[in-house]
Every structure is written in structure tokens, then in C-alpha cells.
Amino acid sequence: MSTNLQRRLLLKGLAAAGILSQLSPMTAWASEQALYIDGLSFLPEDLADLKASKLSAYLCDISAIEAIEQSDGTTNYKRTYKACVQSISQALSRVNDNPDKLLLGKTGADIKLAHDSGRTAVYFQIQGADCLEKNVEDGVEKNADNELNQVDEFYQRGLRVLQLTHHYGNKFSGGALDNDGKQGLNSPLTPAGHKLVRKLNDTKMLIDVSHSSPQSALDCAKATNAPIVQSHGAVRAIVNHARCSPDEVIKAIADTGGLFGIFMMSFWLTTDAIPTQDHYLAQLKHVAKVGGIDALAIANDYPLRGQKNLLKLGNNNSEGVKEYLEWWHSLRERGVLGFDHEPEHVVIPQLNHIERMERIDTALTQAKFSSSERAKIMGGNWQRVLNQVLG
């Protein structure tokens, strides 16, 4: 019997006994709604998506990007200080303007507060510490010696999760795509990165090693005194790709008490021609085997409804994948690990949907995960880590 069916039968029995009517609407809602927490998504255009997703909380990327062409002709999307200060202010205004639907997540306790009140807690995240690097305005460098103070500034503005880098390395961390597949480059955490890890620990901000090079992730796991996460990623043992993580990284993250979230980008979940929920489950099972069930979580990396273009195309992967090919081929020309395989899809159609969390929960039930294991995977592990790191 599914968890949702059990809840409905319990509520039916309570109603028949006249007990449910004695409960407040808030209590009744909380008893019916599972705790679902997602590792990465965005503020939706339509706030009705929050309730439809059934998410109690999620890591919410609020960063803004600037497209910067690399010397090798590829493009890096950097989250600069100027862009992110503006974007976090805009996101905070939207949260504050909708207190009946949204709650700014500042501590782990905000998950329960949002869950019990039928709202969604959003934990602001920026995908890259480029926002702390020195800035150039009108050809003049600004804030060159003020990077770590900017951690405090972003914290005061509501930021609670910081990713070290995005795809390519920066002043603090090596990037997953720095590996050119020929020389075996695997950039370590830099001295500035070690200082940043200590600062983030002291500030009680969660460190995210998604998009970091394997060595930087391993260095971070060794340097931190608090759990770290890879909020959204995949397993290299299944897909041999630079954007996917080796087992030693998964294990190192788990050993910090942190977790590893499996995301929805199907070209990094399987090289089979047709992606299915079984491929997603295979990723989850592998992380559980390597890092333990306490290290496993769900992530998205698309909007709450799903990848927009694929939804417009009716989840036609053969058409939808075309938007990624130019970028993919540019990395292939550099010899980056895994880009030699031509991608054939972007999403798992069943999971490119606003109800993905409930569908994953059902799939876990069918795959014989216990109720306690499902509770951890679907949200409990995130709740534990956010409680421990943020306080």
C-alpha cells in the first residue's frame, strides 16, 4: 500500500470518528502532506506551482549570470557580484510580497514552519562563488580585498547556500569542466578556497560542491568542519562524464554528514537512447550503496514545472536536445571527458512534470524502499543537513 493511500485511509478513519473535525486546518494539512524537499530549483513565474509541486522546501537558485567567452572559445556563465546583489534583492522582495505562499529559509526550523502552515520555504542559493571575486567597473577593480566580507553581506541579504563554482574553475575552486580529458587536469581547492570554506563554516552557510572538480570536492570535504553537499549531480560510475562525480567524491561528501542530490538532466543519468524512471532509480541506488541512505537526496535543476522547452515540445527529446548541441560540441572539441558521446535526450518524460516528487516517491515504493528510507530521500536528509549547518 502506498504512503499516500495510507494517509488517505487514516484521514477517512479520523473523519468517520469525528476526530478530524476537531483538528485545525493547519494540523489536518500537515498530517496529510508528505515532507518533500528539492535540492535545486527556481522561484516560479506562477506561484501556484509551489502548492502543485507539493514541496515543503527547496534550495532556490536566485543568482543572475553573465555570459563570458573563454579563451578557448567556450562560454562560461558567471554569477558576478553586481548581478547577484541585484537578483537576491529582487528575489527577497518577491518572497516578502507573498508571505502566504513563501517563507525565506534562514534556519533549519523554517522547514517545519513552512510545512505546518502550507507554505514553501526557499533557501537562497548562488551557483558559484564568482559573486565574491573582485569586480571591475569602468576598467577599475573594485572590492579586491573584500571578498570574505561579501559572504557576510550576502548572508544578511538572505543567502544560505553557496556553490563554490559553476562548470569552470575560479579563484576558489577547480571546475568540473576544467578536465580536458587529455592531460587529466583536476584542479584542487585553492588557498583562497580553503579560506572561503572556513569563512562559510563560521558563518553557518551551507557549502555546495556541485560543478566542482573532483579534487576540489575532495579537498573541501577534508577542510570543512560541517556537512557539505552536492545539491545536484549524477554518478560517474554510470555515465563516464566530467559533470558526473566519482564514487570517492560521493563517499567523501557522505563522510562529512552531507548529501548528494540526483538531478533531472537525463543526458547525465544514462547513455541509453530512451531515459526512464529506472535510470533515475539506478542513480539513487548507486549513491545509497556508496554513501549510505543518509547521503541521498532528490534534485531538479529545472523550473518546478520542468524543463520549459521540453514541456512545449510534449517532452519530445529528439527535438529538445538540439538546443544543447552547440554547447556540447564545443566541449567535445576541447576533449572534455564524456562529451564524445552524442546526447539523445534532455529529460525523463515521466519526471519532467510539476508532480515529479510524488512520482519519485511512488517509484521508490515500487522499488521496495522502506517508508523510513523514502522519508529520508524525499526530504528528511535535507532537513537534517539544513538543521545541522544553518542552526
Side-chain angles (χ1 to χ4, degrees), residues 18 31 78 163 167 177 183 198 234 333 358-359 369:
S31 65
K78 299 193 77 170
Q163 197 169 290
H167 280 328
L177 302 189
Q183 300 177 12
R198 290 194 294 272
E333 291 175 3
E358 196 165 53
R359 294 181 179 192
F369 282 81

Side-chain angles (χ1 to χ4, degrees), residues 105-240:
K106 295 183 177 180
T107 70
D110 289 324
I111 295 172
K112 187 177 187 303
L113 182 59
H115 179 77
D116 289 349
S117 61
R119 293 179 289 170
T120 304
V122 286
Y123 289 85
F124 285 175
Q125 188 250 32
I126 291 178
Q127 288 200 65
D130 307 313
C131 61
L132 307 179
E133 288 184 332
K134 60 189 176 186
N135 307 289
V136 178
E137 296 178 10
D138 299 324
V140 179
E141 291 183 355
K142 304 289 185 181
N143 301 316
D145 299 316
N146 197 38
E147 292 159 343
L148 296 187
N149 289 339
Q150 290 173 0
V151 172
D152 297 318
E153 177 185 351
F154 277 109
Y155 185 90
Q156 292 301 319
R157 291 177 180 271
L159 191 70
R160 288 299 181 270
V161 187
L162 182 64
Q163 197 169 290
L164 297 181
T165 192
H166 186 273
H167 280 328
Y168 302 95
N170 57 19
K171 178 176 181 176
F172 306 102
S173 170
L177 302 189
D178 291 339
N179 187 335
D180 65 5
K182 297 176 182 178
Q183 300 177 12
L185 294 175
N186 191 0
S187 307
L189 194 69
T190 68
H194 280 273
K195 291 180 180 178
L196 178 58
V197 167
R198 290 194 294 272
K199 176 65 175 179
L200 294 172
N201 284 164
D202 292 344
T203 309
K204 295 188 176 181
M205 193 180 293
L206 180 61
I207 300 170
D208 188 347
V209 295
S210 301
H211 293 271
S212 294
S213 68
Q215 189 59 53
S216 285
L218 292 171
D219 292 344
C220 182
K222 186 175 181 179
T224 186
N225 60 24
I228 65 171
V229 301
Q230 180 156 334
S231 64
H232 59 293
V235 173
R236 190 175 293 190
I238 296 176
V239 176
N240 190 27

Side-chain angles (χ1 to χ4, degrees), residues 288-319:
K289 179 181 178 180
V290 173
I293 203 74
D294 289 342
L296 185 54
I298 307 299
N300 187 349
D301 207 14
Y302 290 138
L304 293 181
R305 292 187 185 183
Q307 209 275 7
K308 291 183 178 180
N309 192 38
L310 270 293
L311 290 173
K312 291 178 182 178
L313 294 169
N315 286 324
N316 183 336
N317 271 311
S318 61
E319 285 297 316

Side-chain angles (χ1 to χ4, degrees), residues 96-111:
N96 290 338
D97 289 344
N98 295 277
D100 58 324
K101 298 179 179 67
L102 287 163
L103 175 66
L104 179 64
K106 295 183 177 180
T107 70
D110 289 324
I111 295 172

Side-chain angles (χ1 to χ4, degrees), residues 346-374:
V346 180
V347 300
I348 297 172
Q350 301 97 318
L351 300 183
N352 196 45
H353 194 279
I354 190 68
E355 296 176 356
R356 79 175 48 77
M357 295 298 282
E358 196 165 53
R359 294 181 179 192
I360 293 170
D361 199 1
T362 298
L364 290 171
T365 301
Q366 295 169 344
K368 309 302 182 184
F369 282 81
S370 70
S371 58
S372 62
E373 289 172 336
R374 295 198 312 275

